[in-house]
Amino acid sequence: MNVERAKSTRLTRPTPSELGVLRVLWRLGPATVRDVHEALNAREPTGYTTALKFLQIMHGKGLVERDESRRAHVYKARLTQAQAQSQMTSQLVDGVFDGSTSKLVLSALGGSSRTTPEELAQIREMLDRLDGVEK
Amino acid sequence: MNVERAKSTRLTRPTPSELGVLRVLWRLGPATVRDVHEALNAREPTGYTTALKFLQIMHGKGLVERDESRRAHVYKARLTQAQAQSQMTSQLVDGVFDGSTSKLVLSALGGSSRTTPEELAQIREMLDRLDGVEK
DNA sequence: CGTAATCTACGAAGCCTTTCGTGCCTTCGG
DNA sequence: CCGAAGGCACGAAAGGCTTCGTAGATTACG
């Protein structure tokens, strides 16, 4: 009881491992299987065909696009990191924070306390901007 | 190559469906299979034994505890909602926000803009408190 | 008491993820 | 031209998640 097929509008959400691949693509930009494999393999020993399969599957799901004009296909994330971030964030908000963004923010800030003054200032800026828009 | 068994210290993280069960337990407090099933079933048609199996599995994983003193066992979440929230939040931060809490906060606030002035005020308070601690 | 209702424990099917191995092309160096 | 290297597509195994069906006990009640 799920999933839109084939059409490009809705993207299925990445699995944990697929997220790993996306992270590599975000960092490297368009990359070949070899590139991705080397990146993954550096972090944890992994077979070449494993990387290949991931890219293929993700292509099937529409998570990446690929350029087949060269022998070694070149893959490219179809979602920017920012898009993935906001998608997964609202997912978390809906799933665990009763839909309340502020609860998430409070929990994030309160819990970790590993936030620098500069970052806090940035957040304040954002708050000001929101207040501005607010009527 | 994972998972600590049996001992109570480390909790495996809940799957999506398990989260649904936990949400029910957080809302109802200690509850029987019947209670949980009714809650789940209200949202989406589901078999009784499905709920039962979830609770059993979750008990095996240490996600819930159970009181077997009555015929209908009574289950209880082993994690408070707040704990789950902060656990899953830091997971998201590590996984998608390069470990930066502030990036998450900015994305959450910027993306949805479904935050009331009261909530913004609450966040400001939290910021002040953090500044206070910050020497 | 006997039957119906409740409950738990299993087991198993179906689908998704993750990980590779093989087979079959294509390209490149000598 | 030939063999080795590099690449892609498949297929398949192992394990996890989700969903139930069935079986066997226990309890409630007319």
Side-chain angles (χ1 to χ4, degrees):
Chain A
M1 79 297 277
N2 55 359
V3 220
E4 289 293 275
R5 272 278 74 73
K7 267 288 106 271
S8 50
T9 10
R10 273 273 158 270
L11 305 221
T12 40
R13 81 178 179 76
T15 69
S17 298
E18 287 169 353
L19 229 196
V21 173
L22 284 179
R23 279 219 291 276
V24 170
L25 290 178
W26 288 328
R27 184 154 49 81
L28 300 186
T32 64
V33 175
R34 167 161 299 276
D35 296 330
V36 172
H37 170 244
E38 273 165 11
L40 293 180
N41 197 52
R43 183 169 301 279
E44 169 163 30
T46 263
Y48 174 89
T49 50
T50 300
L52 170 63
K53 188 66 167 197
F54 274 132
L55 265 336
Q56 284 173 163
I57 290 177
M58 292 171 74
H59 180 241
K61 290 184 179 175
L63 284 171
V64 298
E65 21 184 283
R66 92 177 148 186
D67 172 2
E68 313 186 358
S69 65
R70 303 176 180 288
R71 181 150 108 97
H73 299 172
V74 174
Y75 291 85
K76 178 162 164 283
R78 212 141 163 0
L79 217 57
T80 65
Q81 184 165 20
Q83 285 174 314
Q85 286 171 342
S86 90
Q87 180 204 289
M88 303 192 73
T89 299
S90 64
Q91 212 160 217
L92 183 67
V93 167
D94 290 347
V96 206
F97 287 92
D98 308 321
S100 157
T101 300
S102 72
K103 280 185 194 167
L104 164 63
V105 172
L106 291 179
S107 157
L109 290 177
S112 92
S113 81
R114 199 167 300 289
T115 334
T116 71
E118 290 76 29
E119 291 178 312
L120 294 183
Q122 267 186 302
I123 294 171
R124 257 183 235 281
E125 258 182 62
M126 172 64 92
L127 288 179
D128 291 344
R129 195 172 333 147
L130 289 177
D131 266 354
V133 174
E134 198 80 48
K135 189 188 46 352
Chain B
M1 81 300 270
N2 53 358
V3 221
E4 288 294 275
R5 271 279 74 73
K7 268 289 109 267
S8 48
T9 10
R10 272 273 158 272
L11 305 221
T12 40
R13 80 177 180 78
T15 69
S17 297
E18 287 168 351
L19 230 196
V21 173
L22 284 179
R23 279 217 292 274
V24 170
L25 289 178
W26 288 328
R27 184 153 49 81
L28 301 186
T32 64
V33 175
R34 169 161 300 277
D35 296 331
V36 172
H37 170 245
E38 271 165 13
L40 293 180
N41 197 52
R43 183 169 301 281
E44 168 163 32
T46 259
Y48 174 89
T49 49
T50 301
L52 171 63
K53 188 66 166 198
F54 274 131
L55 263 337
Q56 285 174 163
I57 289 177
M58 291 171 74
H59 179 241
K61 289 184 179 176
L63 284 171
V64 299
E65 20 186 284
R66 93 179 146 185
D67 172 2
E68 313 185 358
S69 65
R70 303 174 180 288
R71 179 148 108 98
H73 299 171
V74 175
Y75 291 85
K76 176 162 164 286
R78 208 128 180 300
L79 219 58
T80 66
Q81 184 165 21
Q83 286 174 312
Q85 285 171 342
S86 89
Q87 180 203 290
M88 303 192 74
T89 299
S90 65
Q91 214 161 218
L92 183 66
V93 167
D94 290 347
V96 205
F97 287 93
D98 309 321
S100 158
T101 299
S102 71
K103 280 186 193 166
L104 164 63
V105 172
L106 292 177
S107 159
L109 290 177
S112 93
S113 80
R114 197 169 303 287
T115 335
T116 71
E118 291 75 29
E119 292 178 312
L120 294 181
Q122 266 186 301
I123 294 171
R124 255 182 237 280
E125 257 181 63
M126 172 64 93
L127 288 178
D128 291 343
R129 195 174 332 151
L130 288 177
D131 267 355
V133 173
E134 198 79 51
K135 197 192 29 335

